[in-house]
Amino acid sequence: MRVLILGGTGEARALAGRLHERPDLHVTSSLAGRVREPQLPPGDVRVGGFGGPDGLADWLRRERVHAVVDATHPFARTISDNAVAAAQRAGCPLLVLRRPAWVPESGDDWRPVPSMAAAAALLPELGERIFLTTGRQGLAHFAGLDLRFLVRTVDPPEPPLPPRTMVLLARGPFTVHDELALLREHRIEVLVSKNSGGSMTSAKLTAARELGLPVVMVQRPPRPDVPSAGTVEQAVAWLDAVPHDHAG
């Protein structure tokens, strides 16, 4: 059985590791190539796009893929939409594997917003010193704000950036102790985050709660209307139910 896993998330790597151990499966992981030094999963890995949904559908047919698991980042809307269209065209079963979203806890001061643009529009009324943890993409929405930004990304961000920006290059996981120290050192007044979920970067939310800071939380885009799983175990169970005699 041939399986394509889309994405370089922790869930994608964990699933690839589980499936790589099985002799009845051949797994290929596909990474977008946006991170310079990605953490590679076990098994076959390809890097780069497919050329839209038609290119992905052609690849699924050519490689005779039995099933696709979309384990991309919750905000990777384009590839998720392409995966749905390609799987339909190739007649290939598709599962979306998404870690559960974060939910506010007692003591949190979350300000939910639907987009990065909405997050930028809200900031001037909340504070002067901003910890921006939304990744490299979409920073242009904040470029016109005359606020002090601490931007944390894995790779160096590209302009345009806000005029008063300090860039911190770091990859999670992060501890609550270190996040508290960082927020205090830079006298942060507002945290901006996407609702990515997971444990790799959740410590910042705990730190913001302890310090009483508002959190501007960008909500996830709608999930594709296809079968979904919240854990690697659920994804494995779904794959076990896919007929092995089918191939796109």
PDB file of all heavy atoms in Angstrom, residues 150-179:
ATOM      1  N   LEU A 150       8.734  42.206  18.685  1.00  0.00           N
ATOM      2  CA  LEU A 150       9.667  41.104  18.782  1.00  0.00           C
ATOM      3  C   LEU A 150       9.066  39.980  17.936  1.00  0.00           C
ATOM      4  O   LEU A 150       7.995  39.465  18.252  1.00  0.00           O
ATOM      5  CB  LEU A 150       9.840  40.644  20.228  1.00  0.00           C
ATOM      6  CG  LEU A 150      10.711  39.399  20.444  1.00  0.00           C
ATOM      7  CD1 LEU A 150      12.153  39.666  20.010  1.00  0.00           C
ATOM      8  CD2 LEU A 150      10.655  38.940  21.899  1.00  0.00           C
ATOM      9  N   VAL A 151       9.741  39.622  16.833  1.00  0.00           N
ATOM     10  CA  VAL A 151       9.240  38.625  15.891  1.00  0.00           C
ATOM     11  C   VAL A 151      10.080  37.360  16.028  1.00  0.00           C
ATOM     12  O   VAL A 151      11.296  37.398  15.835  1.00  0.00           O
ATOM     13  CB  VAL A 151       9.302  39.155  14.444  1.00  0.00           C
ATOM     14  CG1 VAL A 151       8.905  38.067  13.453  1.00  0.00           C
ATOM     15  CG2 VAL A 151       8.391  40.376  14.289  1.00  0.00           C
ATOM     16  N   ARG A 152       9.429  36.246  16.337  1.00  0.00           N
ATOM     17  CA  ARG A 152      10.140  34.975  16.458  1.00  0.00           C
ATOM     18  C   ARG A 152       9.753  34.060  15.292  1.00  0.00           C
ATOM     19  O   ARG A 152       8.580  33.774  15.075  1.00  0.00           O
ATOM     20  CB  ARG A 152       9.825  34.278  17.778  1.00  0.00           C
ATOM     21  CG  ARG A 152      10.633  32.981  17.951  1.00  0.00           C
ATOM     22  CD  ARG A 152      10.552  32.453  19.368  1.00  0.00           C
ATOM     23  NE  ARG A 152       9.221  32.020  19.739  1.00  0.00           N
ATOM     24  CZ  ARG A 152       8.833  31.767  20.990  1.00  0.00           C
ATOM     25  NH1 ARG A 152       9.692  31.942  21.991  1.00  0.00           N
ATOM     26  NH2 ARG A 152       7.609  31.361  21.261  1.00  0.00           N
ATOM     27  N   THR A 153      10.782  33.616  14.545  1.00  0.00           N
ATOM     28  CA  THR A 153      10.574  32.720  13.416  1.00  0.00           C
ATOM     29  C   THR A 153      11.696  31.692  13.379  1.00  0.00           C
ATOM     30  O   THR A 153      12.743  31.863  14.005  1.00  0.00           O
ATOM     31  CB  THR A 153      10.554  33.483  12.074  1.00  0.00           C
ATOM     32  OG1 THR A 153      11.817  34.139  11.897  1.00  0.00           O
ATOM     33  CG2 THR A 153       9.445  34.516  12.028  1.00  0.00           C
ATOM     34  N   VAL A 154      11.476  30.619  12.619  1.00  0.00           N
ATOM     35  CA  VAL A 154      12.508  29.601  12.443  1.00  0.00           C
ATOM     36  C   VAL A 154      13.585  30.098  11.488  1.00  0.00           C
ATOM     37  O   VAL A 154      14.784  29.956  11.744  1.00  0.00           O
ATOM     38  CB  VAL A 154      11.889  28.286  11.933  1.00  0.00           C
ATOM     39  CG1 VAL A 154      12.986  27.262  11.631  1.00  0.00           C
ATOM     40  CG2 VAL A 154      10.912  27.728  12.952  1.00  0.00           C
ATOM     41  N   ASP A 155      13.161  30.698  10.361  1.00  0.00           N
ATOM     42  CA  ASP A 155      14.076  31.255   9.370  1.00  0.00           C
ATOM     43  C   ASP A 155      13.906  32.768   9.305  1.00  0.00           C
ATOM     44  O   ASP A 155      12.859  33.294   9.685  1.00  0.00           O
ATOM     45  CB  ASP A 155      13.802  30.650   7.988  1.00  0.00           C
ATOM     46  CG  ASP A 155      14.166  29.171   7.923  1.00  0.00           C
ATOM     47  OD1 ASP A 155      15.184  28.791   8.523  1.00  0.00           O
ATOM     48  OD2 ASP A 155      13.427  28.411   7.268  1.00  0.00           O
ATOM     49  N   PRO A 156      14.913  33.498   8.819  1.00  0.00           N
ATOM     50  CA  PRO A 156      14.803  34.955   8.743  1.00  0.00           C
ATOM     51  C   PRO A 156      13.612  35.383   7.893  1.00  0.00           C
ATOM     52  O   PRO A 156      13.404  34.859   6.794  1.00  0.00           O
ATOM     53  CB  PRO A 156      16.126  35.373   8.086  1.00  0.00           C
ATOM     54  CG  PRO A 156      17.071  34.263   8.391  1.00  0.00           C
ATOM     55  CD  PRO A 156      16.238  33.014   8.387  1.00  0.00           C
ATOM     56  N   PRO A 157      12.798  36.314   8.389  1.00  0.00           N
ATOM     57  CA  PRO A 157      11.651  36.792   7.615  1.00  0.00           C
ATOM     58  C   PRO A 157      12.089  37.737   6.511  1.00  0.00           C
ATOM     59  O   PRO A 157      13.153  38.358   6.587  1.00  0.00           O
ATOM     60  CB  PRO A 157      10.803  37.519   8.658  1.00  0.00           C
ATOM     61  CG  PRO A 157      11.794  37.996   9.673  1.00  0.00           C
ATOM     62  CD  PRO A 157      12.876  36.950   9.724  1.00  0.00           C
ATOM     63  N   GLU A 158      11.255  37.826   5.482  1.00  0.00           N
ATOM     64  CA  GLU A 158      11.521  38.733   4.370  1.00  0.00           C
ATOM     65  C   GLU A 158      10.704  40.006   4.536  1.00  0.00           C
ATOM     66  O   GLU A 158       9.622  39.985   5.123  1.00  0.00           O
ATOM     67  CB  GLU A 158      11.175  38.042   3.050  1.00  0.00           C
ATOM     68  CG  GLU A 158      12.009  36.796   2.779  1.00  0.00           C
ATOM     69  CD  GLU A 158      11.624  36.119   1.481  1.00  0.00           C
ATOM     70  OE1 GLU A 158      10.656  36.582   0.835  1.00  0.00           O
ATOM     71  OE2 GLU A 158      12.277  35.124   1.113  1.00  0.00           O
ATOM     72  N   PRO A 159      11.218  41.136   4.039  1.00  0.00           N
ATOM     73  CA  PRO A 159      10.467  42.384   4.128  1.00  0.00           C
ATOM     74  C   PRO A 159       9.213  42.316   3.251  1.00  0.00           C
ATOM     75  O   PRO A 159       9.133  41.458   2.363  1.00  0.00           O
ATOM     76  CB  PRO A 159      11.476  43.428   3.610  1.00  0.00           C
ATOM     77  CG  PRO A 159      12.438  42.656   2.766  1.00  0.00           C
ATOM     78  CD  PRO A 159      12.516  41.291   3.381  1.00  0.00           C
ATOM     79  N   PRO A 160       8.241  43.194   3.536  1.00  0.00           N
ATOM     80  CA  PRO A 160       8.301  44.307   4.496  1.00  0.00           C
ATOM     81  C   PRO A 160       8.027  43.869   5.926  1.00  0.00           C
ATOM     82  O   PRO A 160       7.242  42.966   6.172  1.00  0.00           O
ATOM     83  CB  PRO A 160       7.198  45.244   3.994  1.00  0.00           C
ATOM     84  CG  PRO A 160       6.194  44.325   3.371  1.00  0.00           C
ATOM     85  CD  PRO A 160       6.984  43.221   2.742  1.00  0.00           C
ATOM     86  N   LEU A 161       8.733  44.534   6.850  1.00  0.00           N
ATOM     87  CA  LEU A 161       8.551  44.317   8.270  1.00  0.00           C
ATOM     88  C   LEU A 161       8.226  45.653   8.935  1.00  0.00           C
ATOM     89  O   LEU A 161       8.496  46.716   8.370  1.00  0.00           O
ATOM     90  CB  LEU A 161       9.829  43.746   8.898  1.00  0.00           C
ATOM     91  CG  LEU A 161      10.326  42.396   8.383  1.00  0.00           C
ATOM     92  CD1 LEU A 161      11.678  42.082   9.022  1.00  0.00           C
ATOM     93  CD2 LEU A 161       9.320  41.316   8.699  1.00  0.00           C
ATOM     94  N   PRO A 162       7.649  45.633  10.123  1.00  0.00           N
ATOM     95  CA  PRO A 162       7.443  46.887  10.846  1.00  0.00           C
ATOM     96  C   PRO A 162       8.776  47.603  11.054  1.00  0.00           C
ATOM     97  O   PRO A 162       9.820  46.962  11.194  1.00  0.00           O
ATOM     98  CB  PRO A 162       6.836  46.436  12.180  1.00  0.00           C
ATOM     99  CG  PRO A 162       6.219  45.108  11.888  1.00  0.00           C
ATOM    100  CD  PRO A 162       7.102  44.472  10.852  1.00  0.00           C
ATOM    101  N   PRO A 163       8.771  48.930  11.090  1.00  0.00           N
ATOM    102  CA  PRO A 163      10.032  49.677  11.180  1.00  0.00           C
ATOM    103  C   PRO A 163      10.799  49.418  12.471  1.00  0.00           C
ATOM    104  O   PRO A 163      12.023  49.498  12.487  1.00  0.00           O
ATOM    105  CB  PRO A 163       9.587  51.145  11.082  1.00  0.00           C
ATOM    106  CG  PRO A 163       8.126  51.133  11.425  1.00  0.00           C
ATOM    107  CD  PRO A 163       7.598  49.824  10.972  1.00  0.00           C
ATOM    108  N   ARG A 164      10.091  49.108  13.558  1.00  0.00           N
ATOM    109  CA  ARG A 164      10.768  48.840  14.834  1.00  0.00           C
ATOM    110  C   ARG A 164      10.584  47.355  15.173  1.00  0.00           C
ATOM    111  O   ARG A 164       9.688  46.980  15.912  1.00  0.00           O
ATOM    112  CB  ARG A 164      10.216  49.735  15.936  1.00  0.00           C
ATOM    113  CG  ARG A 164      10.529  51.213  15.713  1.00  0.00           C
ATOM    114  CD  ARG A 164      10.199  52.025  16.949  1.00  0.00           C
ATOM    115  NE  ARG A 164       8.753  52.158  17.127  1.00  0.00           N
ATOM    116  CZ  ARG A 164       8.182  52.689  18.223  1.00  0.00           C
ATOM    117  NH1 ARG A 164       8.944  53.100  19.223  1.00  0.00           N
ATOM    118  NH2 ARG A 164       6.875  52.795  18.292  1.00  0.00           N
ATOM    119  N   THR A 165      11.458  46.532  14.582  1.00  0.00           N
ATOM    120  CA  THR A 165      11.339  45.081  14.726  1.00  0.00           C
ATOM    121  C   THR A 165      12.656  44.475  15.174  1.00  0.00           C
ATOM    122  O   THR A 165      13.710  44.797  14.616  1.00  0.00           O
ATOM    123  CB  THR A 165      10.913  44.431  13.392  1.00  0.00           C
ATOM    124  OG1 THR A 165       9.603  44.872  13.059  1.00  0.00           O
ATOM    125  CG2 THR A 165      10.902  42.917  13.507  1.00  0.00           C
ATOM    126  N   MET A 166      12.590  43.601  16.164  1.00  0.00           N
ATOM    127  CA  MET A 166      13.714  42.751  16.537  1.00  0.00           C
ATOM    128  C   MET A 166      13.333  41.321  16.183  1.00  0.00           C
ATOM    129  O   MET A 166      12.256  40.843  16.545  1.00  0.00           O
ATOM    130  CB  MET A 166      14.021  42.850  18.029  1.00  0.00           C
ATOM    131  CG  MET A 166      15.113  41.883  18.490  1.00  0.00           C
ATOM    132  SD  MET A 166      15.461  42.010  20.270  1.00  0.00           S
ATOM    133  CE  MET A 166      16.205  43.643  20.338  1.00  0.00           C
ATOM    134  N   VAL A 167      14.208  40.625  15.442  1.00  0.00           N
ATOM    135  CA  VAL A 167      13.933  39.267  14.991  1.00  0.00           C
ATOM    136  C   VAL A 167      14.690  38.280  15.867  1.00  0.00           C
ATOM    137  O   VAL A 167      15.901  38.423  16.089  1.00  0.00           O
ATOM    138  CB  VAL A 167      14.334  39.080  13.515  1.00  0.00           C
ATOM    139  CG1 VAL A 167      14.153  37.625  13.091  1.00  0.00           C
ATOM    140  CG2 VAL A 167      13.494  39.999  12.625  1.00  0.00           C
ATOM    141  N   LEU A 168      13.974  37.286  16.354  1.00  0.00           N
ATOM    142  CA  LEU A 168      14.558  36.220  17.160  1.00  0.00           C
ATOM    143  C   LEU A 168      14.365  34.907  16.396  1.00  0.00           C
ATOM    144  O   LEU A 168      13.233  34.477  16.158  1.00  0.00           O
ATOM    145  CB  LEU A 168      13.862  36.153  18.524  1.00  0.00           C
ATOM    146  CG  LEU A 168      14.248  34.984  19.446  1.00  0.00           C
ATOM    147  CD1 LEU A 168      15.721  35.071  19.821  1.00  0.00           C
ATOM    148  CD2 LEU A 168      13.364  34.990  20.690  1.00  0.00           C
ATOM    149  N   LEU A 169      15.469  34.284  15.998  1.00  0.00           N
ATOM    150  CA  LEU A 169      15.403  33.014  15.278  1.00  0.00           C
ATOM    151  C   LEU A 169      15.465  31.868  16.286  1.00  0.00           C
ATOM    152  O   LEU A 169      16.442  31.735  17.022  1.00  0.00           O
ATOM    153  CB  LEU A 169      16.558  32.896  14.274  1.00  0.00           C
ATOM    154  CG  LEU A 169      16.616  33.979  13.192  1.00  0.00           C
ATOM    155  CD1 LEU A 169      17.792  33.718  12.257  1.00  0.00           C
ATOM    156  CD2 LEU A 169      15.312  34.029  12.404  1.00  0.00           C
ATOM    157  N   ALA A 170      14.412  31.054  16.320  1.00  0.00           N
ATOM    158  CA  ALA A 170      14.351  29.960  17.288  1.00  0.00           C
ATOM    159  C   ALA A 170      13.322  28.942  16.820  1.00  0.00           C
ATOM    160  O   ALA A 170      12.365  29.272  16.127  1.00  0.00           O
ATOM    161  CB  ALA A 170      13.991  30.478  18.680  1.00  0.00           C
ATOM    162  N   ARG A 171      13.544  27.699  17.203  1.00  0.00           N
ATOM    163  CA  ARG A 171      12.613  26.607  16.896  1.00  0.00           C
ATOM    164  C   ARG A 171      12.206  25.941  18.211  1.00  0.00           C
ATOM    165  O   ARG A 171      13.048  25.655  19.054  1.00  0.00           O
ATOM    166  CB  ARG A 171      13.298  25.586  15.978  1.00  0.00           C
ATOM    167  CG  ARG A 171      12.359  24.487  15.439  1.00  0.00           C
ATOM    168  CD  ARG A 171      13.162  23.299  14.915  1.00  0.00           C
ATOM    169  NE  ARG A 171      14.047  23.644  13.827  1.00  0.00           N
ATOM    170  CZ  ARG A 171      13.738  23.550  12.531  1.00  0.00           C
ATOM    171  NH1 ARG A 171      12.547  23.111  12.170  1.00  0.00           N
ATOM    172  NH2 ARG A 171      14.631  23.872  11.605  1.00  0.00           N
ATOM    173  N   GLY A 172      10.901  25.683  18.365  1.00  0.00           N
ATOM    174  CA  GLY A 172      10.409  25.039  19.570  1.00  0.00           C
ATOM    175  C   GLY A 172      10.885  23.598  19.666  1.00  0.00           C
ATOM    176  O   GLY A 172      11.516  23.081  18.742  1.00  0.00           O
ATOM    177  N   PRO A 173      10.612  22.950  20.783  1.00  0.00           N
ATOM    178  CA  PRO A 173       9.695  23.386  21.845  1.00  0.00           C
ATOM    179  C   PRO A 173      10.321  24.408  22.791  1.00  0.00           C
ATOM    180  O   PRO A 173      11.539  24.460  22.951  1.00  0.00           O
ATOM    181  CB  PRO A 173       9.376  22.081  22.586  1.00  0.00           C
ATOM    182  CG  PRO A 173      10.590  21.225  22.367  1.00  0.00           C
ATOM    183  CD  PRO A 173      11.082  21.554  20.994  1.00  0.00           C
ATOM    184  N   PHE A 174       9.440  25.205  23.406  1.00  0.00           N
ATOM    185  CA  PHE A 174       9.850  26.229  24.358  1.00  0.00           C
ATOM    186  C   PHE A 174       9.270  25.896  25.727  1.00  0.00           C
ATOM    187  O   PHE A 174       8.205  25.287  25.828  1.00  0.00           O
ATOM    188  CB  PHE A 174       9.359  27.613  23.908  1.00  0.00           C
ATOM    189  CG  PHE A 174       9.797  27.989  22.521  1.00  0.00           C
ATOM    190  CD1 PHE A 174       8.907  27.941  21.457  1.00  0.00           C
ATOM    191  CD2 PHE A 174      11.095  28.384  22.271  1.00  0.00           C
ATOM    192  CE1 PHE A 174       9.302  28.280  20.173  1.00  0.00           C
ATOM    193  CE2 PHE A 174      11.512  28.730  20.987  1.00  0.00           C
ATOM    194  CZ  PHE A 174      10.611  28.679  19.938  1.00  0.00           C
ATOM    195  N   THR A 175       9.966  26.316  26.779  1.00  0.00           N
ATOM    196  CA  THR A 175       9.492  26.073  28.140  1.00  0.00           C
ATOM    197  C   THR A 175       8.794  27.319  28.682  1.00  0.00           C
ATOM    198  O   THR A 175       9.065  28.448  28.238  1.00  0.00           O
ATOM    199  CB  THR A 175      10.650  25.703  29.076  1.00  0.00           C
ATOM    200  OG1 THR A 175      11.501  26.858  29.242  1.00  0.00           O
ATOM    201  CG2 THR A 175      11.470  24.552  28.507  1.00  0.00           C
ATOM    202  N   VAL A 176       7.927  27.107  29.665  1.00  0.00           N
ATOM    203  CA  VAL A 176       7.246  28.242  30.293  1.00  0.00           C
ATOM    204  C   VAL A 176       8.270  29.158  30.963  1.00  0.00           C
ATOM    205  O   VAL A 176       8.163  30.389  30.887  1.00  0.00           O
ATOM    206  CB  VAL A 176       6.207  27.741  31.320  1.00  0.00           C
ATOM    207  CG1 VAL A 176       5.595  28.921  32.067  1.00  0.00           C
ATOM    208  CG2 VAL A 176       5.121  26.933  30.622  1.00  0.00           C
ATOM    209  N   HIS A 177       9.278  28.568  31.596  1.00  0.00           N
ATOM    210  CA  HIS A 177      10.312  29.367  32.260  1.00  0.00           C
ATOM    211  C   HIS A 177      10.994  30.306  31.276  1.00  0.00           C
ATOM    212  O   HIS A 177      11.169  31.502  31.549  1.00  0.00           O
ATOM    213  CB  HIS A 177      11.337  28.427  32.913  1.00  0.00           C
ATOM    214  CG  HIS A 177      12.492  29.149  33.559  1.00  0.00           C
ATOM    215  ND1 HIS A 177      13.650  29.469  32.875  1.00  0.00           N
ATOM    216  CD2 HIS A 177      12.653  29.627  34.826  1.00  0.00           C
ATOM    217  CE1 HIS A 177      14.467  30.098  33.664  1.00  0.00           C
ATOM    218  NE2 HIS A 177      13.905  30.211  34.869  1.00  0.00           N
ATOM    219  N   ASP A 178      11.372  29.777  30.127  1.00  0.00           N
ATOM    220  CA  ASP A 178      12.067  30.599  29.141  1.00  0.00           C
ATOM    221  C   ASP A 178      11.134  31.641  28.519  1.00  0.00           C
ATOM    222  O   ASP A 178      11.565  32.777  28.236  1.00  0.00           O
ATOM    223  CB  ASP A 178      12.662  29.722  28.039  1.00  0.00           C
ATOM    224  CG  ASP A 178      13.857  28.908  28.541  1.00  0.00           C
ATOM    225  OD1 ASP A 178      14.432  29.272  29.584  1.00  0.00           O
ATOM    226  OD2 ASP A 178      14.205  27.907  27.886  1.00  0.00           O
ATOM    227  N   GLU A 179       9.881  31.274  28.312  1.00  0.00           N
ATOM    228  CA  GLU A 179       8.931  32.226  27.727  1.00  0.00           C
ATOM    229  C   GLU A 179       8.659  33.376  28.705  1.00  0.00           C
ATOM    230  O   GLU A 179       8.564  34.541  28.289  1.00  0.00           O
ATOM    231  CB  GLU A 179       7.626  31.524  27.357  1.00  0.00           C
ATOM    232  CG  GLU A 179       7.756  30.462  26.277  1.00  0.00           C
ATOM    233  CD  GLU A 179       8.069  31.018  24.905  1.00  0.00           C
ATOM    234  OE1 GLU A 179       9.128  31.674  24.736  1.00  0.00           O
ATOM    235  OE2 GLU A 179       7.256  30.791  23.982  1.00  0.00           O
TER     236      GLU A 179
END
